Amino acid sequence: MFPEWTRQQRAALQVMGIPVWQKKSAKPPVFYYRLGGLYMHGPRELPVSLPDWLNDLCLYFEQRPVAIKAPLQTPDLCFDYADWLDGSISAEQKKALWQKLQNAKR
């Protein structure tokens, strides 16, 4: 545990031009992937053994997801896969994703 600075210590550090160290809360990591024209992001890495819905997308794009750095701007065709990794996705979720993909191709 780091010590708390007293008022006198902070004043002395300020006079000497030494910045006072402060804790910052760390942001949780975000992992980005690109699959064809589709960008995906989530709080954990994609598993080596991809879920079925992602294998379907790999067949559609004829490639596997590639890890990338965070884009400067969020692309139009981007989705969060966080809720989709642990279980099967609903038919409505699949339908919405495929419609999004079809609209992006136009």
Side-chain angles (χ1 to χ4, degrees), residues 28-106:
V30 178
F31 298 92
Y32 288 87
Y33 293 89
R34 184 170 182 186
L35 180 59
L38 177 66
Y39 290 84
M40 304 179 293
H41 62 88
R44 14 177 241 199
E45 294 178 287
L46 290 176
V48 174
S49 177
L50 298 175
D52 291 339
W53 65 268
L54 192 48
N55 279 326
D56 291 345
L57 284 177
C58 291
L59 290 171
Y60 177 76
F61 286 110
E62 298 178 342
Q63 59 184 269
R64 286 186 53 91
V66 177
I68 60 170
K69 291 182 179 180
L72 297 176
Q73 294 180 353
T74 303
D76 291 336
L77 194 54
C78 186
F79 81 98
D80 185 352
Y81 60 80
D83 297 335
W84 296 30
L85 286 182
D86 293 330
S88 61
I89 60 175
S90 70
E92 292 81 26
Q93 289 173 312
K94 273 187 183 180
K95 185 176 179 180
L97 178 59
W98 284 105
Q99 284 178 342
K100 195 173 187 181
L101 289 172
Q102 290 300 321
N103 290 337
K105 286 191 116 185
R106 292 180 189 165

Side-chain angles (χ1 to χ4, degrees), residues 6-38:
T6 66
R7 208 171 348 132
Q8 290 174 334
Q9 289 171 326
R10 286 181 187 272
L13 289 171
Q14 187 176 11
V15 168
M16 291 186 286
I18 300 172
V20 177
W21 182 86
Q22 295 178 5
K23 280 189 195 181
K24 288 187 178 180
S25 59
K27 293 181 183 177
V30 178
F31 298 92
Y32 288 87
Y33 293 89
R34 184 170 182 186
L35 180 59
L38 177 66

